[in-house]
């Protein structure tokens, strides 16, 4: 397996840069502390709705639209404590059915795929935490043991069942994502059936019960592209709350080379040399994955330089 040493290795993967936020999980069950933090004048609050937040483009960059707690919209239960920073500022997210309006009209709604590329590390970390909690809260309102409606606890990080006493925690589904290379150092890229024409990326899939992540890499590559892989090397991970995944990134070396796509999830897969991929980017034949995704970084590690910026359509 190659050792990668190029200009892409020093840049953090999207949504993983040090944020300066301490999640301070020990405060989540301390209602007195949470109440005091909510009432503090330095506390900052933002709204999350349907995976979107309000962002504001300023001369200094793009920021989350946050307000003091006393200016925040009213909510009885969907108030999530996200942590504190080095200055002692506490951060909360409010889950609402709609985003609030802004009188100055300077703010705009944005999802994580767009905002994650624009926000600084602190705001990106706060947003990914809030979006992940919102997704989980919306999809897990009832107890999986008895079917009773659950109630929110631990500042948004637990749902408790008042009927049977079960506690339910935010779900994270492990998924492997891998760039496969062959004996000519070509990269295997595929296109999912629901992607826009020309969008190619790495292969990926969920880890199944009773399966190691290395076994999952081998199984997914064979199922999607008919390629058997040998050596597998872990690279990095990335939170990906669409709705609740943790992406585990790998480089893998192919042991066979004839492509046979499944036709259901992967419509087309191709081997690319660096020269072929460059020409395809320049002609517009191939659209790269979104820069925020770990897929783009895996390709960059092999490609040797940043990928072209993709258009915003698709995934």
């Amino acid at each position: 397996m190659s050792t990668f040493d190029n200009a892409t290795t020093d840049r953090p993967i999207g949504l993983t840069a040090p944020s300066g936020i301490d999640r301070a999980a020990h405060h989540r069950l301390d209602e007195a502390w949470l109440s005091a933090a909510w009432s503090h004048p330095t506390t900052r609050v933002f709204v999350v709705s349907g995976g979107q937040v309000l962002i504001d483009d300023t001369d200094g960059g793009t920021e989350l639209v946050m307000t003091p707690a006393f200016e925040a919209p009213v909510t009885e239960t969907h108030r999530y404590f996200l942590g504190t920073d080095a200055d002692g500022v506490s951060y909360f997210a409010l889950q609402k059915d709609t985003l609030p309006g802004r009188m100055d009209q300077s703010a705009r709604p944005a999802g994580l795929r767009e905002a994650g590329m624009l926000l600084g590390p602190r705001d990106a970390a706060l947003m990914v935490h809030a979006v992940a909690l919102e997704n989980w809260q919306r999809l897990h309102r009832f107890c999986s043991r008895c079917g009773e409606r659950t109630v929110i606890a631990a500042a948004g990080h637990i749902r408790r069942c008042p009927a049977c006493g079960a506690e339910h925690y935010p779900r994270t589904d492990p998924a492997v994502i891998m760039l496969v290379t062959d004996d000519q150092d070509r990269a295997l890229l595929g296109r999912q059936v629901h992607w826009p024409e020309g969008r190619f990326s790495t292969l990926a899939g969920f880890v199944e019960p009773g399966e190691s992540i290395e076994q999952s890499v081998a199984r997914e590559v064979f199922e999607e592209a008919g390629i058997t892989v040998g050596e597998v090397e872990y690279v990095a991970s990335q939170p990906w709350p669409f709705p609740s995944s943790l992406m585990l990134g790998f480089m893998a070396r192919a042991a066979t080379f004839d492509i046979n796509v499944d036709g259901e999830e992967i419509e087309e897969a191709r081997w690319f040399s660096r020269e072929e991929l460059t020409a395809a980017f320049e002609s517009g034949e191939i659209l790269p994955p979104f820069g925020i995704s770990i897929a783009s970084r895996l390709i960059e590690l092999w490609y040797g330089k940043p990928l072209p910026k993709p258009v915003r359509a698709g995934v």
Side-chain angles (χ1 to χ4, degrees):
M1 188 66 61
S2 301
T3 298
F4 298 98
D5 183 16
N6 56 55
T8 69
T9 58
D10 294 333
R11 294 190 295 111
I13 293 168
L15 309 179
T16 66
S19 65
I21 296 295
D22 177 359
R23 293 197 173 196
H26 57 289
H27 288 313
R28 293 173 185 167
L29 294 172
D30 188 339
E31 292 298 333
W33 187 94
L34 291 170
S35 179
W38 178 257
S39 301
H40 199 278
T42 65
T43 292
R44 289 297 176 264
V45 181
F46 64 95
V47 174
V48 58
S49 179
Q52 291 193 317
V53 298
L54 288 178
I55 61 174
D56 207 345
D57 299 312
T58 68
D59 292 339
T62 302
E63 299 178 344
L64 277 176
V65 173
M66 292 190 277
T67 67
F70 65 83
E71 294 182 2
V74 176
T75 179
E76 294 182 358
T77 57
H78 293 276
R79 186 172 76 189
Y80 310 142
F81 172 61
L82 305 179
T84 61
D85 65 18
D87 295 323
V89 175
S90 297
Y91 296 90
F92 289 81
L94 301 181
Q95 178 181 326
K96 302 290 287 184
D97 291 335
T98 58
L99 293 173
R102 283 281 294 250
M103 293 180 64
D104 56 15
Q105 299 298 313
S106 64
R108 59 187 176 87
L112 190 57
R113 284 186 174 89
E114 177 189 0
M117 297 179 65
L118 302 174
L119 296 171
R122 183 202 66 179
D123 286 6
L126 292 170
M127 182 179 179
V128 73
H129 190 175
V131 168
L133 284 177
E134 184 209 20
N135 283 331
W136 173 67
Q137 293 282 357
R138 288 186 184 277
L139 296 175
H140 294 82
R141 296 177 178 177
F142 297 90
C143 180
S144 59
R145 290 185 181 180
C146 70
E148 184 72 23
R149 180 178 285 275
T150 54
V151 295
I152 296 173
H157 294 76
I158 294 176
R159 292 192 73 99
R160 290 198 178 111
C161 178
C164 70
E167 289 189 345
H168 304 279
Y169 295 84
R171 176 173 176 170
T172 298
D173 301 318
V176 292
I177 184 166
M178 45 275 170
L179 182 70
V180 181
T181 56
D182 68 2
D183 56 351
Q184 301 177 52
D185 201 25
R186 297 180 300 174
L188 178 67
L189 301 179
R191 191 174 78 81
Q192 292 191 16
V193 294
H194 64 274
W195 285 354
E197 190 69 30
R199 177 80 71 208
F200 276 75
S201 187
T202 54
L203 304 183
F206 288 104
V207 179
E208 293 188 345
E211 184 177 56
S212 72
I213 53 178
E214 293 83 3
Q215 290 170 335
S216 182
V217 168
R219 176 185 52 77
E220 286 289 346
V221 173
F222 186 78
E223 287 179 356
E224 294 184 350
I227 299 293
T228 300
V229 300
E231 188 177 1
V232 174
E233 178 184 9
Y234 173 75
V235 177
S237 64
Q238 181 187 43
W240 196 247
F242 299 106
S244 57
S245 299
L246 176 66
M247 306 303 297
L248 306 168
F250 293 86
M251 307 298 291
R253 181 69 76 181
T256 62
F257 314 110
D258 293 333
I259 296 171
N260 182 22
V261 297
D262 61 10
E264 296 182 2
E265 185 173 359
I266 300 298
E267 185 174 69
E268 180 183 4
R270 293 163 55 183
W271 292 108
F272 291 91
S273 69
R274 292 174 181 81
E275 294 74 20
E276 289 169 339
L277 192 58
T278 298
F281 284 152
E282 292 177 349
S283 69
E285 175 189 359
I286 299 298
L287 304 175
F290 273 82
I292 192 177
S293 71
I294 192 173
S296 64
R297 188 56 50 82
L298 293 174
I299 299 171
E300 285 177 349
L301 288 174
W302 163 82
Y303 191 55
K305 59 183 179 180
L307 302 181
K309 291 184 179 181
V311 296
R312 291 183 178 178
V315 293

